[in-house]
Amino acid sequence: MAAMLLAADLGGAAHAAAQDAPHVEMEAIAVLGFAPICHVVCGDADRDQHAELYLHGLDSLGHAQPYALEYATGYRFDTVPLSLERMDLWAIGDGDRDLRADLVAQWGPLRVYEGASDTSLPAVLVWEDAVPSHYVAFPVFADLDCDSAPEIVTKGRDQYVVDLYETSGDNSYERVEEVATHWGLPYGFGVAHDMDGDGRPELAVGTDVGYVELFEAVADDSLAFVAYDSTAFEYELRAVAGADDMDRDGHPECVAVAVLCDGVGVVLVYESPSSDTLVPVWTADIDPGYFGESTVSVGDVDGDSVQEFVVADGRHLRLYKCTGNDEYQEIWSIPGYAYEVALYDIDDDGRDELIHRTGAYETTIRRYVEVGVAEREIRRLEGVQVTPTLVRPGEVVRLDGTESRFSVQVLDAAGRVVAEPEDGVWRTDGVCPGVYFLRFGPSAAGCQPSAVSARKVLVVE
């Protein structure tokens, strides 16, 4: 209880200040009929300058199947099924340095999938750990010892241990280090960006008793425990992420999310003012959902070269921005249960999109829009009605309340445009049964983006 009161005291003022935070809009610009399981994985594995999302969808038999959704243009995606078993997908990197992307997955044993060439997607199993894990291992890529060979960092075979796997040759990995956490089970891993300025990145580990523990390389393939913080003691601290000096004071940060129980939680921002130290410089109370369901991701959503961070706490998505030295404010939020979330520049425009799960097999992509623009579009389109929303092929779907300055696109579950009705009517002749999304966008006559991205229509046999 003392720990809960301490966190509340630290976070109260910051949370109160957040009520007056500047408001922004995160416009939904794509809804995909696929979803992450455990984690949102993004990258450009085939090196064609078109990033991919690695998500799960249903195959023709109704079974969960991993897919790569490669960005095409206009927030449309090409869908590529991956010939993998049902896997939890976690990270993309090039651990064995063969210029072929490695996709790290886990379902029992830790596994690595690779492309058949340096320009193909990772779908070939090239390595599997001989000893399976019977729990989620939270694997990430990190070059902690700065030897240009990224390690796979995971929760160890022993639950109180962090394991490091490093390449021992092409398509081969071996466990090179195991280091024990000091307080609790390791749950979340974040790679910090040299918080104390000694030239080495840190590994930040959250534990199930509320500690954030820092580890740092002391030699090749050798980690040492260097610092900890127990502000969130007795909470479950499952989400940790490193950041690139969000307040521009010369100290990179680490962001963590801790949950005590349903409705009680805290967000923490840490800095390292001197060598091998860890100090909470800002906290805010949150009202999360079921304990354990929390995620944090860091990125630059508005393109100003200063990072923001987003928190999914099982009850809301919350976007935070730095407003001064060691000061942060919540600038946007929406209700949302799913906790898989990431900030990633999917269209390579210099601004990170917000990618988050919105259903069992549904993911929404959002982008930052200027304040005022989105609000005007919301008011113009909030009266739009799409009827009916359940039809059979050949029936007509009417769009009432649209203005001529807005175009309409009909997208399938993979984000492919299947129709662009111009007269306020979508004719479903020849349309296959499935879920479709009607997206309102800019037209030639008016180049303002719409803040209402999609309405859902179900076509049934």
Side-chain angles (χ1 to χ4, degrees):
M1 180 61 70
M4 180 174 67
L5 294 175
L6 175 60
D9 290 341
L10 285 170
H15 185 66
Q19 306 307 310
D20 300 321
H23 183 64
V24 305
E25 288 294 337
M26 297 298 293
E27 174 196 17
I29 40 77
V31 182
L32 308 175
F34 301 82
I37 296 179
C38 292
H39 188 65
V40 181
V41 180
C42 314
D44 182 14
D46 55 1
R47 305 172 187 269
D48 63 354
Q49 307 304 310
H50 293 276
E52 307 97 29
L53 294 176
Y54 290 83
L55 306 173
H56 287 75
L58 295 177
D59 61 18
S60 59
L61 298 177
H63 299 150
Q65 169 74 31
Y67 288 81
L69 279 76
E70 186 167 65
Y71 182 76
T73 184
Y75 296 103
R76 305 174 191 177
F77 293 81
D78 295 328
T79 304
V80 182
L82 300 176
S83 56
L84 315 182
E85 299 177 50
R86 185 199 182 279
M87 290 279 106
D88 293 343
L89 309 178
W90 285 96
I92 286 181
D94 183 14
D96 57 358
R97 295 176 290 182
D98 63 354
L99 301 182
R100 299 182 184 183
D102 298 323
L103 175 62
V104 178
Q106 186 209 5
W107 188 257
L110 196 67
R111 295 174 179 174
V112 173
Y113 293 85
E114 196 174 74
S117 70
D118 60 358
T119 58
S120 59
L121 298 175
V124 179
L125 178 63
V126 296
W127 178 81
E128 178 177 293
D129 193 6
V131 180
S133 298
H134 300 290
Y135 40 79
V136 178
F138 309 102
V140 299
F141 268 117
D143 185 9
L144 298 173
D145 55 4
C146 302
D147 64 354
S148 299
E151 303 93 9
I152 301 173
V153 183
T154 78
K155 185 176 182 178
R157 300 168 184 174
D158 180 336
Q159 292 193 67
Y160 291 88
V161 165
V162 177
D163 281 349
L164 270 67
Y165 292 80
E166 194 170 78
T167 182
S168 56
D170 187 39
N171 297 334
S172 179
Y173 293 84
E174 63 179 16
R175 190 171 59 161
V176 295
E177 170 70 312
E178 63 174 17
V179 58
T181 52
H182 284 55
W183 293 278
L185 299 172
Y187 272 160
F189 297 100
V191 181
H193 305 162
D194 189 13
M195 296 176 68
D196 58 2
D198 64 359
R200 292 169 298 198
E202 297 87 7
L203 176 68
V205 180
T207 75
D208 67 335
V209 294
Y211 279 70
V212 176
E213 302 187 15
L214 279 191
F215 295 84
E216 196 173 76
V218 292
D220 186 44
D221 302 332
S222 180
L223 282 187
F225 171 82
V226 296
Y228 75 94
D229 177 74
S230 60
T231 298
F233 176 60
E234 294 181 351
Y235 287 56
E236 286 201 349
L237 207 156
R238 290 188 176 232
V240 190
D244 285 330
D245 192 9
M246 294 182 289
D247 61 357
R248 292 297 191 260
D249 66 351
H251 297 287
E253 296 87 11
C254 174
V255 185
V257 183
V259 176
L260 180 64
C261 59
D262 188 55
V264 180
V266 63
V267 182
L268 308 101
V269 176
Y270 291 93
E271 288 186 359
S272 181
S274 60
S275 179
D276 299 340
T277 58
L278 187 65
V279 177
V281 295
W282 178 86
T283 69
D285 297 331
I286 55 175
D287 55 342
Y290 174 71
F291 72 91
E293 296 189 350
S294 55
T295 305
V296 61
S297 184
V298 177
D300 179 10
V301 300
D302 56 8
D304 65 354
S305 300
V306 179
Q307 291 182 326
E308 293 79 32
F309 62 91
V310 63
V311 170
D313 60 21
R315 187 167 286 163
H316 292 88
L317 285 179
R318 307 175 188 272
L319 182 65
Y320 294 87
K321 185 175 182 65
C322 179
T323 56
N325 186 38
D326 297 336
E327 291 292 337
Y328 301 86
Q329 293 187 14
E330 181 184 308
I331 60 173
W332 174 87
S333 70
I334 59 169
Y337 170 77
Y339 60 96
E340 295 91 343
V341 63
L343 295 176
Y344 186 81
D345 187 4
I346 196 72
D347 60 355
D348 197 28
D349 69 347
R351 297 186 299 178
D352 288 325
E353 281 74 36
L354 172 60
I355 304 163
H356 64 100
R357 182 173 179 170
T358 47
Y361 287 97
E362 185 177 287
T363 297
T364 297
I365 302 177
R366 298 177 180 271
R367 67 179 176 187
Y368 172 87
V369 295
E370 294 181 6
V371 178
V373 172
E375 293 171 347
R376 289 196 299 271
E377 305 306 335
I378 287 174
R379 288 195 294 270
R380 288 191 180 104
L381 286 174
E382 61 187 3
V384 171
Q385 294 183 352
V386 175
T387 55
T389 57
L390 179 65
V391 299
R392 296 182 183 277
E395 295 181 356
V396 168
V397 177
R398 298 188 180 280
L399 288 67
D400 298 322
T402 56
E403 301 178 18
S404 59
R405 63 194 301 272
F406 293 106
S407 65
V408 181
Q409 293 178 327
V410 182
L411 297 87
D412 64 12
R416 295 181 292 254
V417 175
V418 298
E420 296 185 275
E422 297 180 355
D423 55 358
V425 175
W426 176 37
R427 296 167 178 83
T428 61
D429 301 88
V431 173
C432 297
V435 177
Y436 294 86
F437 302 94
L438 278 69
R439 182 173 71 182
F440 304 91
S443 68
C447 297
Q448 300 294 345
S450 165
V452 179
S453 71
R455 304 288 172 85
K456 186 186 297 184
V457 174
L458 181 63
V459 179
V460 298
E461 293 181 352

